[in-house]
Amino acid sequence: MSPAASPTRWALSGRIVTMATEGDVIKSGTIFIDDSRIAAVVPKGEPAPAGFETTDPVATGGTIYPGLIELHNHLSYNILPLWQVPQLYGNRDQWQNAKSYKTSVTGPMSAIALADDGSLLPALVRYVEAKCMVAGTTTSQGITLSNWSGTIHKYYKGALRAAEIGSPPDLPRAHSKIPDIDAEDWAKFDNELKSSSCFLLHLSEGIDAKAHSHFLALRNPQGDWAIEPSLAGIHCTALDATDFGTMAENHAKVVWSPLSNLLLYGKTTDVAAARTAGLTIALGSDWSPSGSKNLLGELKAAKVVAAHSNLGFSDYDIVSMATCNPAAILKWDAKLGTIAQGKFADLLVVKGVTGDPYRHLIKSREQDVVLVTIGGRPRYGTKTVMQKAGGSGEAFKIGGSARVIDFSSPDQDPGIEKVSLAEATTRLKAALGNLGTLRPHSLAMSAAIARGAVSRTGWRLALDEQFGNNVQLRPRLEYAGVRTGPDLLATAAAAPEPLHPIKLDGLTVVDDPVFIDTLKSEPNLPEGIGAAIAAFY
């Protein structure tokens, strides 16, 4: 695919929701874009800025928001459909050993990763990148680890922004993995936090005492906490008001994934207590096996949960969790997260200009997305608006309506195969439908890795917390003489379960005939939650 011939100077008009403060909305205005940045934001009737006098804005007919920023995902798993969680769990260690989890999640992904002949990794990256962009996400988090090549970042250096890659110095890299030895040593762990601008780490995932011990382990015998301003705790479901007070005293942050929490544990983070303590809160969809299909869906989950539990969050508060709040957590707020002159033009346009502007976004579905720009470049949208904006790319359909998506990236490694969305979909469907045949090849490769006899070179997919990657997604400090964190060796030692074909997760809810039915039948969701989320679709 050749790079799109995007104009360096252009403009788009519509209702503009800046997210700078609540109520800062231009009912009708124009955003002027110069290369990658916003040159000006002008209300209707006011003159265009210098240099744009002859620019004819693209009339979107929609409402324009900052592009959505997601701070919790495991992107490589997002080819898998929603898992029917069989029972309530108390902590992360329990469900990773469930038989149905192994046959629905870890088994299939291990087979994909280890039996890959080189064709599946580019297909997977292409598909999950598209899955984000078609729902208005312009930055996501959760790049998978590389097993023995160490350069997986190059695969994800595409159209979508990745928090772990950033764009230094404007957008500093976030960290989301920590070396094994540092995750187990209090002083080294604290030093890692001190040396990072943002560290996104899983923390106290679960609701029982064991999950809570992960947080308590952050305190050393001298009473000092390994909590720094860089720390953004993902989940924090086991924490109480006192714990959030401790986090606030040390200027940490929280990333909330309500749907995933409820599916697994029947409860979610006490975000009301976190907000009362003064913590900044962002949203993440977690991953498709036990979460929303995308961040646009997680906005709906947050809205439903907030109403169900009387959390007191306004629609503006919820939209902030996917725009300005995550930008602040990443230390990107000077460049992204709100619509303002000089900031990068990462924008999301959804159809319609009536009603409350924040509720309007929460209610929007994937088929309502009109345009997505990243760094001023039209990356995805309806065929008509993409053409007007000077964008080009691959044609496909969402809900029967013509769309165009542009994956081209001059910064991507030239040795990486460029795969279309159509081809990626074909490859992944075939692989997931052939898991029984892939399994023997994957087991042989796993054994070769264990013996140190790996001979194949090239790109490899190594999955979060499945293989020995010498890194962790969470602290593993000791509490009461016991190291916290999941026991991966015990999980890896278990005999593999037989695998059967599964279906590739749908790119969107509208084009996924089983997602809503599966969601509504999830046994751990509090009564009414599944139906209330489904009602948005």
Side-chain angles (χ1 to χ4, degrees):
M1 285 176 280
S2 60
S6 301
T8 56
R9 280 191 171 184
W10 62 294
L12 67 164
S13 63
R15 180 169 65 165
I16 302 170
V17 183
T18 72
M19 294 305 298
T21 59
E22 186 169 8
D24 190 6
V25 177
I26 300 172
K27 292 184 178 180
S28 180
T30 301
I31 300 174
F32 293 90
I33 299 170
D34 190 353
D35 196 16
S36 64
R37 298 180 186 264
I38 297 171
V41 183
V42 178
K44 184 178 180 180
E46 294 188 10
F52 288 88
E53 293 88 351
T54 60
T55 300
D56 187 17
V58 175
T60 66
T63 302
I64 309 170
Y65 303 87
L68 303 185
I69 301 174
E70 175 164 54
L71 293 193
H72 179 212
N73 209 317
H74 302 267
L75 289 171
S76 294
Y77 287 82
N78 287 345
I79 63 172
L80 300 179
L82 188 62
W83 171 42
Q84 188 105 53
V85 183
Q87 67 181 74
L88 280 173
Y89 297 103
N91 62 68
R92 167 68 173 83
D93 300 19
Q94 296 169 347
W95 51 264
Q96 68 178 11
N97 289 311
K99 180 178 179 180
S100 67
Y101 176 71
K102 293 177 181 179
T103 56
S104 299
V105 182
T106 54
M109 286 307 301
S110 293
I112 293 291
L114 293 173
D116 185 10
D117 61 1
S119 68
L120 296 179
L121 180 52
L124 183 148
V125 173
R126 170 66 70 243
Y127 193 81
V128 301
E129 183 181 34
K131 209 175 180 190
C132 288
M133 289 198 294
V134 300
T137 299
T138 53
T139 296
S140 192
Q141 179 274 339
I143 293 175
T144 190
L145 303 173
S146 176
N147 196 358
W148 54 91
S149 71
T151 46
I152 196 72
H153 284 180
K154 291 184 179 181
Y155 252 109
Y156 277 98
K157 198 173 184 180
L160 182 74
R161 293 194 195 275
E164 296 95 329
I165 296 176
S167 182
D170 290 317
L171 306 175
R173 295 183 181 94
H175 294 84
S176 61
K177 281 111 181 155
I178 189 166
D180 280 345
I181 190 168
D182 296 343
E184 298 172 2
D185 183 292
W186 189 95
K188 290 180 178 179
F189 175 72
D190 191 51
N191 188 61
E192 284 282 334
L193 296 180
K194 283 185 168 72
S195 63
S196 176
S197 63
C198 177
F199 225 122
L200 297 150
L201 289 173
H202 291 62
L203 183 61
S204 287
E205 181 185 354
I207 57 174
D208 61 12
K210 186 172 183 179
H212 192 218
S213 72
H214 296 181
F215 178 79
L216 299 177
L218 299 180
R219 193 176 192 181
N220 70 6
Q222 291 72 43
D224 299 318
W225 287 94
I227 302 175
E228 302 292 341
S230 63
L231 177 62
I234 296 171
H235 293 304
C236 300
T237 41
L239 305 192
D240 58 25
T242 300
D243 302 326
F244 286 124
T246 298
M247 290 187 73
E249 289 171 7
N250 293 279
H251 308 288
K253 293 87 179 175
V254 172
V255 182
W256 186 33
S257 296
L259 182 57
S260 182
N261 298 158
L262 294 175
L263 288 171
L264 295 166
Y265 311 115
K267 292 175 63 178
T268 189
T269 313
D270 189 353
V271 285
R275 182 175 67 169
T276 298
L279 293 168
T280 301
I281 303 168
L283 270 180
S285 60
D286 197 344
W287 59 352
S288 63
S290 69
S292 297
K293 197 177 287 289
N294 48 54
L295 189 53
L296 190 61
E298 194 69 4
L299 286 172
K300 296 162 180 53
K303 168 73 174 176
V304 169
V305 173
H308 180 270
S309 300
N310 297 312
L311 299 180
F313 288 100
S314 68
D315 292 334
Y316 171 78
D317 293 333
I318 292 170
V319 174
S320 294
M321 295 177 191
T323 52
C324 51
N325 287 8
I329 290 172
L330 290 170
K331 309 293 192 301
W332 291 8
D333 46 315
K335 303 295 181 181
L336 282 174
T338 60
I339 297 175
Q341 182 180 4
K343 294 198 171 186
F344 287 117
D346 288 20
L347 304 169
L348 162 63
V349 185
V350 299
K351 72 177 182 181
V353 295
T354 59
D356 179 271
Y358 311 110
R359 188 173 302 116
H360 186 75
L361 178 60
I362 294 170
K363 291 172 62 178
S364 296
R365 304 158 299 171
E366 297 112 332
Q367 60 265 44
D368 298 322
V369 174
V370 172
L371 181 67
V372 174
T373 72
I374 302 176
R377 182 165 172 169
R379 283 295 189 177
Y380 167 76
T382 64
K383 180 179 179 181
T384 300
V385 172
M386 281 289 283
Q387 287 176 340
K388 289 180 179 178
S392 63
E394 181 179 354
F396 66 111
K397 291 185 177 182
I398 295 291
S401 177
R403 296 291 194 273
V404 173
I405 193 164
D406 173 19
F407 296 109
S408 59
S409 175
D411 295 331
Q412 197 170 50
D413 191 296
I416 295 172
E417 183 186 4
K418 307 300 188 294
V419 182
S420 69
L421 178 58
E423 174 62 21
T425 302
T426 297
R427 291 183 191 180
L428 293 170
K429 282 183 175 179
L432 290 171
N434 195 34
L435 291 173
T437 301
L438 290 180
R439 168 50 69 84
H441 297 290
S442 70
L443 292 177
M445 177 56 72
S446 181
I449 294 171
R451 296 194 309 271
V454 176
S455 59
R456 289 195 292 178
T457 60
W459 300 93
R460 288 284 158 220
L461 176 66
L463 303 165
D464 292 338
E465 300 195 317
Q466 284 200 46
F467 306 139
N469 297 294
N470 301 311
V471 292
Q472 296 288 336
L473 299 180
R474 66 201 76 230
R476 298 206 63 196
L477 307 177
E478 283 193 4
Y479 180 72
V482 178
R483 183 178 299 148
T484 60
D487 187 352
L488 301 181
L489 292 178
T491 303
E497 299 287 344
L499 297 181
H500 305 284
I502 61 175
K503 291 186 177 180
L504 175 67
D505 192 46
L507 199 64
T508 63
V509 175
V510 68
D511 291 311
D512 186 337
V514 300
F515 175 80
I516 292 298
D517 288 341
T518 304
L519 180 67
K520 290 194 293 186
S521 65
E522 289 283 356
N524 297 336
L525 289 180
E527 186 175 356
I529 294 289
I533 295 173
F536 281 103
Y537 297 98

